[in-house]
Amino acid sequence: MALSTTAPPIGIYCHVPFCASTCDFCAFYQEKPRRGDLDRYLAAMDLEFAQLPQDRVVDTVFWGGGTPGLLAAKDLERLGRSLLKRLPQPPEEWTIEMAPSTVKADKLAVLRDLGVTRISMGVQSFDPKLLESLGRLHNPKQIYTAWERVQAAGFPQTNLDLMFAIPNQSIEQWEADIREAARLGPTHLSTYCLTFEEDTALYVKLSQGKVSIDEAKELRFYERGWELLAELGYAQYEISNFAQPDAECRHNMNTWRMQEWIGCGPSAASQFTGERYQRPANLDEWCTAMELGQPPKTECVTLDHDLLLADSIIFGLRMNRGVDLQSINERFPTASNRAELEGQLKIFEREGLLRSQGSQYALTHRGRLVCDAIGSALLEV
Ligand code: SF4
């Protein structure tokens, strides 16, 4: 099949659903790795990759989890080759998430060889006590060892994930984490406010009154983080994401712009050919379906222009450059909710939460602090 020259490129997300243990805050689908399960997973991923469209350019690939880095070097190689043989051409950006305790030189060599361009490491904090309170398996020494190995392997792009508003974390500790992450010099930093998702160990502690949420303090963490990261040379381009010049994560930007992507693996979400759906968050169920040649879709939503217009604005506003309403309107010409959404944007602008220039709308600093509430209000239009 010939490659389309008109359809925009797509992204591929691969979910690697294995973790050695469960972090206290984690609500992602993951399982403990067992050899039989790993082999079955890799074979089923090969079956899923075989169904990828052959007429679309794939410009970004993202392996997340779970802990992709938990796979042995030979399994990373098998998964990577299995994907590459189904792609019309190698992706321009290929990110792999690795937990510090999983970063080994042989794995990095395989990933470099496959053409991976970006290692994203889930550091969360450099403070041993805070790491312990998150239930993370690694310690600061492992972070530094892993980072040295990543640096030595010479990937063009690197990301470190940090977390803030951790119970008992002070603003000074948050500043120290940011400074230390920046000192290591990754090209990209992601900072996430700790959230209390249902069915997590942290949520249980919250319901038992052992920890609490302090929203005013969360805002101070946000603001101090944004300010300090800018001073340290990391430009904010999305609520939680900061980059040195030309180091933004293109894969994530494509999803915020409501382009198309295909998710492979259990629990992976897709947005493709007019549908948004998920694979089942169950390894056995997903493997069985793939072995039977019946790729299952759960939580399937048909995408119409009303939904895509609203989501393009809601997710687009998360980015600092905001959205160009004219070009979004041109992409979704049959949307019937245009006037209501634009009316709501005008209200936010009068309230000082948004600013506009021509058809370009972006959140102000104050608007970014209440980004989730703005998204919820736009969803209700
Ligand atoms: S390593 Fe990541 S996916 Fe695994 S339990 Fe921890 S937060 Fe969740």
Side-chain angles (χ1 to χ4, degrees):
M1 197 182 291
L3 266 186
S4 168
T5 50
T6 50
I10 59 171
I12 304 284
Y13 172 77
C14 299
H15 193 75
V16 184
F18 302 107
C19 290
S21 72
T22 303
C23 301
D24 286 1
F25 56 90
C26 182
F28 294 118
Y29 171 63
Q30 32 90 17
E31 303 266 353
K32 297 250 178 329
R34 287 186 299 261
R35 187 66 248 172
D37 282 350
L38 276 169
D39 282 336
R40 197 173 171 217
Y41 164 79
L42 292 168
M45 285 299 268
D46 193 54
L47 295 171
E48 181 142 42
F49 293 151
Q51 298 186 4
L52 291 173
Q54 293 301 295
D55 59 340
R56 296 290 292 272
V57 172
V58 172
D59 65 346
T60 65
V61 170
F62 197 107
W63 289 6
T67 318
L70 204 62
L71 298 186
K74 68 175 178 18
D75 291 335
L76 289 168
E77 166 116 49
R78 180 173 162 193
L79 189 64
R81 297 278 163 225
S82 168
L83 174 61
L84 281 176
K85 77 176 185 230
R86 304 294 179 182
L87 299 186
Q89 57 197 53
E92 289 176 21
E93 179 189 276
W94 184 347
T95 302
I96 296 201
E97 289 182 344
M98 296 188 92
S101 57
T102 65
V103 175
K104 302 283 182 296
D106 61 338
K107 296 181 191 180
L108 295 172
V110 161
L111 297 178
R112 278 295 276 145
D113 210 35
L114 285 169
V116 169
T117 59
R118 199 166 174 272
I119 298 290
S120 175
M121 204 159 76
V123 166
Q124 316 312 353
S125 174
F126 294 88
D127 184 306
K129 284 221 162 51
L130 294 177
L131 284 172
E132 203 181 313
S133 73
L134 290 170
R136 292 289 293 192
L137 269 189
H138 62 263
N139 56 42
K141 187 164 176 280
Q142 283 170 306
I143 297 174
Y144 295 117
T145 306
W147 181 248
E148 272 171 30
R149 289 174 181 159
V150 170
Q151 291 289 92
F155 289 89
Q157 307 278 355
T158 44
N159 171 60
L160 299 180
D161 282 351
L162 294 177
M163 194 162 264
F164 62 91
I166 303 167
N168 301 320
Q169 185 184 25
S170 66
I171 293 283
E172 290 72 28
Q173 282 174 309
W174 176 221
E175 289 181 2
D177 273 343
I178 291 175
R179 286 189 195 281
E180 187 57 5
R183 187 187 68 78
L184 296 181
T187 57
H188 188 285
L189 280 163
S190 299
T191 66
Y192 298 107
C193 183
L194 181 66
T195 54
F196 294 78
E197 307 287 338
E198 275 184 52
D199 296 327
T200 64
L202 213 55
Y203 188 83
V204 173
K205 284 188 195 164
L206 182 70
S207 49
Q208 290 170 341
K210 292 182 180 161
V211 294
S212 58
I213 298 175
D214 181 343
E215 286 178 3
K217 195 169 167 192
E218 281 180 5
L219 289 185
R220 290 205 300 281
F221 276 99
Y222 269 111
E223 287 198 289
R224 185 60 190 132
W226 296 349
E227 189 180 52
L228 186 53
L229 282 159
E231 278 170 29
L232 295 167
Y234 289 88
Q236 184 181 27
Y237 69 99
E238 195 263 351
I239 294 291
S240 307
N241 288 286
F242 306 80
Q244 292 179 348
D246 298 323
E248 294 92 352
C249 177
R250 285 174 46 193
H251 182 86
N252 286 341
M253 286 172 75
N254 276 347
T255 62
W256 298 323
R257 289 181 176 139
M258 291 299 120
Q259 301 291 358
E260 291 183 304
W261 71 91
I262 297 177
C264 301
S267 84
S270 300
Q271 174 157 294
F272 192 60
T273 54
E275 285 181 330
R276 191 178 289 164
Y277 56 88
Q278 240 184 299
R279 293 293 188 226
N282 179 301
L283 184 62
D284 181 52
E285 194 184 326
W286 169 81
C287 282
T288 304
M290 298 315 300
E291 287 154 8
L292 292 171
Q294 295 165 349
K297 292 179 182 175
T298 64
E299 298 178 35
C300 195
V301 175
T302 303
L303 299 172
D304 59 24
H305 281 196
D306 279 25
L307 182 61
L308 288 169
L309 179 74
D311 283 354
S312 295
I313 294 174
I314 291 167
F315 287 90
L317 284 176
R318 293 184 63 85
M319 292 185 279
N320 288 46
R321 77 180 59 156
V323 294
D324 178 25
L325 275 194
Q326 191 181 334
S327 66
I328 294 181
N329 283 336
E330 283 164 10
R331 276 179 67 201
F332 310 117
T334 66
S336 62
N337 52 350
R338 189 180 324 281
E340 288 91 336
L341 285 165
E342 289 187 17
Q344 186 63 56
L345 293 181
K346 289 286 173 208
I347 293 172
F348 289 141
E349 190 172 14
R350 282 198 294 277
E351 291 172 349
L353 302 173
L354 273 180
R355 60 186 143 67
S356 68
Q357 191 171 23
S359 61
Q360 188 75 26
Y361 283 76
L363 294 181
T364 58
H365 177 85
R366 212 152 63 73
R368 274 202 292 282
L369 288 171
V370 291
C371 176
D372 288 344
I374 288 177
S376 303
L378 289 168
L379 259 188
E380 280 168 20
V381 163

